[in-house]
Structure formats: C-alpha cells, structure tokens
Amino acid sequence: MDYASFLIRKTRLEHDWSQEGLCKGICTPSYLSKIEQGKASPSDEIIQLLFERLGLCWNCGTNGCSGTLIETAYDLLCSLELDPLAALMAQEEWSCYETSPWGVDALLISHITTCAGPLDAELELLMNARQLALQRILQQRCEAAIQLYPCGYTCLRAGVAAYERGETSLAVEFMQQATARASEEGRPWVMLHARMILGGCYSIQLDVTNMERHYNIARRLARSLGSVEDLEVIDYNRAATCIELGRYEEAMRYFETKHSCDSRLVLHKLAICCEKLGKIEAALEALDRADTLPDSSPEQTEGEMCRTVRLRLTTPSYLDSDAYGASLKKTFSLCRKHMPVGFCLFHLPWMVEWYEHHRQYKQVASLLVEFPGCMNLSSLRK
C-alpha cells in the first residue's frame, strides 16, 4: 500500500461507499481492491479519477509538488528554525502536499509543529525510518525515535521529555548526545536549547558550578543567534536557582533589571524574593502587577502560585490557615500536573514546612521519596 491507496480506502469508507460505487466507469472492483491493498500500481490517470470522485485532488509531481519543499521543511524542523518553518508552512502550496506522495511527511511535520497527536497507526506500514521517528515523538516515545533516526533533534526531544519527567540524569545523557550531534550537523539552535536544558538539569540538582558552565555557553549561543527571549529564560532560571539557595540579594539584582515586566512567573519570583528580604509592600506590589496580566497557563497555574504567596504575606500565622494550606496544595498539584519538575522542586520546601507544622510526617516522607536529594530548605529562611 502507498499513501494514495491509503487515502482512497480511508475516504471511501468515510463516505460509506462500496468499491463498486466508487470505481464504476474507472476500473473494475477487483482492480480497485488491489489498489487499496497496495497490490497494483495504477496510472496517474486512474488515481486522479478516483480522487476526483471522492472529492479530493491528488497532487503529484506533474502538478507542482516535489520533494524539495519537504526536504527543506525537514531541515528547518531538525534545525529548530521554527519561524522559517512556520513561514514555509503558511504558503498556499503547503496544504497541497497533504494529498500528494509526500502527504505522510507533510502531516507529520504539521502535527509536530502544532503539538497534535500521532497519525493513524495504519500509516506506520508506509513510513520510512525518519517518518517513524517523528511518529514516535508524537506518541511520546522519544527514545525509540533516536533508535530510528539518531540526530541532534531526536536526542533533544528525548532529553526534554526526560527533563519534564524529572529524570535529570537521563536528560543530561540525551542532551550531551544532542549537543555533540548538533555540532556535527551544524544546527546552532539545537545546541542552544540542549545547553539550556543541561543548565536546567544542574539547576534542579542545585549544582551551581555545572549550571553556570552550561548557561554561560547557552548565553553565548543565544547572543550569536540574536535570541533575546532565550537570554531572558536563562537569566530567569538563574534567579530562581538563587532563590532556592537562599541567595536573595543575588536574585534581586536580576529583578532590578526588569523595570517593566509582563510575565507572571517573573513577578511571582520577584514577590518571593522581596518577601525573603522583608520588603512586604514591594512583594504585594509585584503580585498586584501579576494580577493585571492574563493567565494562559493550564488551569491558571500561575495565578494560583501568586495567590499562595499573597496568602502567606497577608495571613498572620499562615501555617495555621486552611486557606493557605489549600492554595499551597493546589499550587503543588497543578505544578505536578502541568509544569516541568523544577516547579515542584521550587515549591517543595513550603510543602514540607506545611506538613511538618501539622505533624504529617508520612506526607513529608512520601515527598522525599518522590523527590530524593533535590530539596534545599534554605528557601524557607527568613
């Protein structure tokens, strides 16, 4: 079976048509059956006639489609050059590729860039190794993608998945592979993001030396690529790590450069930093600014994070407040559900503080089993 045969059979069944009804005047039902099973190689004319009857247009090489554009799209995807890739896919001709011999490629790339689900499993019978690798990524089986198509991009995707699961040692391994392969392939954006995740892995482990080593390399790459957004992310992560380590004055130097801020996450960290430095009014002002911003996070996770801090600032004996406890637990639950593991680790000391205050030591032990060796209680120091 090829992609044209797959589309003919799939669309015919969706229309609830018989083989006899579809092929009348075009070919025999037995020949159509062979086409749909991939046992016949019909002429372009027969394919076009069958597609027209199904209300589709088959775009083969004779009417404008070619593999060149698809190869360009693959190169941009594997290079993480997402803006040029988006521009290419916005071209009118891109939609024609979904009903062409390159349809599987076009659909896979579209699904990857829009974070859609995997393609129909039946299509896997038609896929080559590169296509199957993208399918495995869509199925969240990134390690299998590396086996099928080892490159900087697949290693990066596997590393990101491991990082988000909290498997930092595995993430480091994949990101080191991603860095080496991307260097050989000449893909600087992949190198940049691999270094950023490596910095994040060591940040989770509170290994400042290695965190700084990778973030410094990432900063140089981001400057060379003109990525202001990635420079901001690196500086934010550094500041958040300083807060976890109790180095509040150092973190504040980052926030002092943010004269105007449109990020709830940055304002959340600024409020905590001010709280620890005893600047309660400044902390509440940061939270007030955060409340004016839209919250596009899943289930308004960022808003709940800010609410938890506000309750801690405004509630005397907050550890005896049911409202504070409910907000803290909700924040932790939302971070566990929607955010990378670093967000859980950031809030973990406050969870431990709450449970210990209420003598719920089994819950403390459970958290320490789930997040071994990653907690720094200095973030609770006043």
Side-chain angles (χ1 to χ4, degrees), residues 4 21 50 52 61 75 85 87 193 199 201 215-216 227 275 296-298 301 307 316 320-321 325 327 350 363 380:
L50 291 171
E52 286 173 10
D75 187 57
L85 176 58
H193 287 282
C201 288
Y215 276 158
N216 285 335
S227 180
E275 173 192 11
S296 59
S297 60
T301 301
R307 181 170 180 267
D320 295 315
S321 165
S327 180
W350 284 282
Q363 286 87 339
L380 294 175

Side-chain angles (χ1 to χ4, degrees), residues 1-119:
M1 183 192 301
D2 59 17
Y3 186 56
S5 302
F6 171 83
L7 281 181
I8 289 169
R9 180 175 181 275
K10 177 175 180 291
T11 309
R12 178 179 65 77
L13 293 175
E14 287 173 350
H15 289 353
D16 196 23
W17 289 357
S18 67
Q19 290 181 330
E20 291 82 356
L22 172 58
C23 71
K24 187 176 181 180
I26 299 174
C27 64
T28 65
S30 62
Y31 190 64
L32 175 59
S33 178
K34 290 180 179 179
I35 292 173
E36 291 186 349
Q37 295 177 61
K39 295 179 179 179
S41 300
S43 66
D44 288 341
E45 180 183 3
I46 288 179
I47 291 291
Q48 290 286 5
L49 289 171
L50 291 171
F51 267 72
E52 286 173 10
R53 185 160 291 175
L54 290 165
L56 301 174
C57 178
W58 180 244
N59 298 289
C60 60
T62 59
N63 52 5
C65 290
S66 72
T68 303
L69 183 140
I70 291 296
E71 288 304 316
T72 299
Y74 269 117
D75 187 57
L76 292 172
L77 176 66
C78 291
S79 298
L80 281 188
E81 295 183 49
L82 301 183
D83 288 340
L85 176 58
L88 182 150
M89 294 172 63
Q91 296 176 18
E92 186 176 348
E93 64 181 307
W94 178 261
S95 61
C96 297
Y97 278 80
E98 294 187 3
T99 52
S100 80
W102 301 275
V104 173
D105 301 290
L107 287 170
L108 285 167
I109 293 168
S110 295
H111 279 227
I112 285 279
T113 56
T114 58
C115 301
L119 302 191

Side-chain angles (χ1 to χ4, degrees), residues 353-371:
E353 180 190 44
W354 172 266
Y355 285 133
E356 287 185 338
H357 180 78
H358 291 271
R359 299 184 179 183
Q360 296 176 347
Y361 301 117
K362 287 185 178 179
Q363 286 87 339
V364 173
S366 178
L367 287 175
L368 296 181
V369 168
E370 184 178 356
F371 304 102

